[in-house]
Amino acid sequence: MPDSLKITFAPLGSAPSGLAVILAASDLALSKTAAALLAPAKDLLARAAAADGFKGKSGSFLDIVAPEKVAASRLLVAGIGKPADWKELDVIRLGGAICGRLPDAVTEATIVADTVAGALSADQAADLALGLRLRFYAFDRYKTKKKDGDEGPKKRSVTILVADEKAARKAFKSREGIADGVDVARDLVNEPPNVLSPPEFAKRAAALERLGVDVEILGEKEMKKLGMGALLAVGQGSRKESQVVVMRWDGGKDGAAPVCLIGKGVCFDTGGISLKPGEGMQDMKGDMGGAAAVVGAMHALAARKAKVNAVGIIGLVENMPDGNAYRPGDILTSMSGQTIEIINTDAEGRLVLADLLWYAKGRFQPKFMINLATLTGAIMVALGSEHAGLFSNNDELAQNLTASGLATGERVWRMPLSPEYDKLIDSQFADMKNTGGRYGGSITAAQFLQRFVGDTPWAHLDVAGTAMNSVKNDLNRSWGGGWGVRLLDRLVADACES
């Protein structure tokens, strides 16, 4: 948990301190606890609501400064609509929305976790706290001066009044590990590329050892011995050494096949010799969003002591236009032995993943593999930033990912795979080309990856539109929101731990 935010739980009947948050359902219906808090002021809520047009609609808020006779310095009324219809994600989003409405000057707040439909359960209270954590994050460590009104972490203490504080505290412990994992991924995505080079990224991933994760770092010497010619080619124009990091969490049964989470980690992508346009290139510091999500997910699994065997593998490179950089027209030999003709050096992520997928399949013989990559602009044309593209050779895995996405709000949309697209990446001079042209670009990229997975159940998530999403919402106010961590954690929990 960040030092600037402290979340505690207390009995429902406790007196609130600082700003008090109460939950009002449709038509201003209050719980008995909230009604008792407002009793000394009688019709205060009704008068304030009438003046502001507040009716308790979900997502609406009413702010009452210095409420007379109420035992709180300030009152924030959160509209919750019909709590009987709540789903898990609704409660998490409510926590985030409350966090976003707390004034910057407020250092202490109390949330009365009680509704007209009854007190929040321990799990719901923990979900509310998770929403607070997710929304509170901000990345401003490089600002030496802040302008008035700038958002940024403030020291803040939030107490949630619950019916069963002990159970809520226990339920939040695992969610706290997930929130920490999301923040790890956010930090990685937001770091500038002059700080987060491949060796530095590997060093930060190695910090998972303190949680009991076994971390192995492969340098270029080790990769050459393994024959990772595709991955190594991408980084050969950089002065920073490419790295592969293998993270193992053995929380399941001895000998049980692990799940493999694989991430593209291009710490900066200039496009190489096929240089990108200058406009917007600064965002290419986030081209390692897939690797960031894998590190964050491994953190979450270890922090909550997940009863699963999981392996996280990330390939860390820089794609730079040096005199030693790989070129259009080059033919590479991948670890699988398959050869690849380079058409465009800006289609580099699939080269990194090709060797990682082959390595993971052969070494770990996983139950299933999922790779995440900011792979194509084409997926953004198709899906925008609301869904990640999902490609899979296994219907059950695809269905589980879709369900996990709906539960967490990190949604995916399944895209097609079929042999007809393979002809677009067949090469005259090698086994395949690294790009199939403009049409169906995200699909041909997935077809390329599929050539390196064999019969292993596999899913590819193209997260180009979601990992670097700058749209702010109830659960995120930063560029690069750590997308994928909660999705992967939920998938593992539902598919492997239940």
Side-chain angles (χ1 to χ4, degrees):
M1 180 182 295
D3 292 338
S4 50
L5 178 63
K6 181 181 179 182
I7 298 176
T8 58
F9 298 90
L12 194 56
S14 303
S17 55
L19 178 149
V21 182
I22 62 173
L23 310 180
S26 301
D27 299 324
L28 305 184
L30 300 176
S31 68
K32 291 182 179 179
T33 307
L37 176 65
L38 293 178
K42 295 184 179 179
D43 61 345
L44 171 66
L45 177 58
R47 288 187 287 109
D52 202 54
F54 177 82
K55 297 181 180 179
K57 181 180 177 181
S58 179
S60 63
F61 286 87
L62 177 65
D63 192 359
I64 305 174
V65 180
E68 185 180 359
K69 298 181 181 180
V70 174
S73 60
R74 190 166 181 164
L75 187 66
L76 183 65
V77 186
I80 58 173
K82 298 178 180 179
D85 296 336
W86 272 348
K87 296 179 181 178
E88 175 188 335
L89 186 57
D90 296 322
V91 183
I92 297 173
R93 284 176 172 164
L94 174 62
I98 290 172
C99 184
R101 288 301 297 261
L102 294 177
D104 286 347
V106 170
T107 60
E108 190 175 12
T110 302
I111 301 174
V112 181
D114 196 13
T115 78
V116 66
L120 270 64
S121 68
D123 281 329
Q124 287 178 320
D127 286 335
L128 190 76
L130 174 59
L132 289 167
R133 274 292 314 273
L134 294 173
R135 181 61 176 78
F136 192 77
Y137 175 90
F139 188 87
D140 61 357
R141 66 186 56 172
Y142 295 104
K143 284 190 174 184
T144 59
K145 297 180 181 179
K146 293 183 181 180
K147 298 178 182 179
D148 291 341
D150 273 0
E151 282 191 297
K154 305 289 191 297
K155 287 188 177 298
R156 178 172 290 161
S157 174
V158 178
T159 301
I160 302 176
L161 305 187
V162 293
D164 189 339
E165 60 173 311
K166 185 177 180 180
R169 193 177 298 115
K170 181 180 179 181
F172 180 56
K173 188 173 182 180
S174 62
R175 289 162 177 82
E176 191 172 22
I178 295 170
D180 287 342
V182 173
D183 285 352
V184 165
R186 286 168 165 173
D187 281 347
L188 290 169
V189 171
N190 280 292
E191 283 285 11
N194 60 317
V195 172
L196 197 70
S197 63
E200 175 62 21
F201 196 132
K203 179 181 176 181
R204 296 195 185 191
L208 293 180
E209 290 180 331
R210 63 183 175 81
L211 295 176
V213 177
D214 181 70
V215 179
E216 178 184 1
I217 299 175
L218 307 180
E220 292 182 353
K221 182 178 179 180
E222 291 82 5
M223 285 185 269
K224 286 176 183 176
K225 288 182 179 180
L226 290 168
M228 292 185 174
L231 186 154
L232 285 168
V234 177
Q236 71 186 38
S238 173
R239 296 184 181 183
K240 304 292 187 180
E241 183 176 354
S242 298
Q243 313 268 276
V244 168
V245 183
V246 181
M247 300 157 281
R248 298 186 61 169
W249 169 252
D250 296 320
K253 295 180 180 179
D254 290 342
V259 301
C260 272
L261 311 176
I262 300 164
K264 168 191 171 184
V266 180
C267 295
F268 193 75
D269 182 20
T270 66
I273 298 299
S274 306
L275 193 67
K276 292 178 180 289
E279 184 178 357
M281 194 189 287
Q282 69 276 5
D283 287 348
M284 289 300 101
K285 69 176 185 177
D287 206 20
M288 32 58 69
V294 169
V295 175
M298 293 300 295
H299 182 111
L301 293 173
R304 67 177 184 80
K305 307 298 182 186
K307 295 180 180 180
V308 63
N309 296 331
V311 176
I313 305 175
I314 55 176
L316 306 173
V317 300
E318 277 187 335
N319 189 19
M320 303 294 283
D322 180 79
N324 194 46
Y326 77 125
R327 297 151 293 223
D330 283 358
I331 293 180
L332 312 177
T333 302
S334 68
M335 186 180 176
S336 70
Q338 297 176 87
T339 56
I340 305 164
E341 179 190 3
I342 301 304
I343 303 300
N344 188 322
T345 64
D346 195 24
E348 84 298 332
R350 65 202 70 183
L351 302 176
V352 174
L353 291 173
D355 281 342
L356 296 184
L357 288 165
W358 189 264
Y359 175 73
K361 174 178 71 74
R363 179 177 174 183
F364 296 106
Q365 300 179 350
K367 181 177 180 179
F368 59 76
M369 300 189 296
I370 301 173
N371 72 254
L372 294 86
T374 50
L375 207 63
T376 68
I379 202 66
M380 298 176 67
V381 174
L383 299 177
S385 59
E386 297 301 324
H387 290 76
L390 163 63
F391 302 82
S392 183
N393 64 0
N394 184 276
D395 289 341
E396 182 181 1
L397 180 57
Q399 290 166 4
N400 290 340
L401 274 164
T402 299
S404 297
L406 292 173
T408 59
E410 296 185 335
R411 297 174 295 176
V412 300
W413 190 265
R414 193 172 187 183
M415 302 287 285
L417 287 170
S418 68
E420 288 78 12
Y421 290 101
D422 275 324
K423 63 183 179 181
L424 297 175
I425 56 172
D426 287 336
S427 168
Q428 179 182 355
F429 305 106
D431 295 325
M432 68 195 83
K433 301 183 292 187
N434 77 322
T435 178
R438 178 181 179 186
Y439 298 112
S442 61
I443 301 173
T444 53
Q447 293 287 150
F448 179 96
L449 296 178
Q450 191 176 31
R451 296 187 180 200
F452 299 90
V453 302
D455 296 327
T456 303
W458 157 79
H460 157 52
L461 298 179
D462 193 333
V463 298
T466 55
M468 294 184 281
N469 187 1
S470 60
V471 177
K472 297 180 180 180
N473 55 46
D474 286 340
L475 300 181
N476 180 49
R477 60 170 169 164
S478 69
W479 184 89
W483 193 98
V485 174
R486 292 186 298 120
L487 170 71
L488 293 175
D489 181 85
R490 174 54 65 91
L491 175 78
V492 171
D494 288 348
C496 303
E497 294 185 278
S498 57

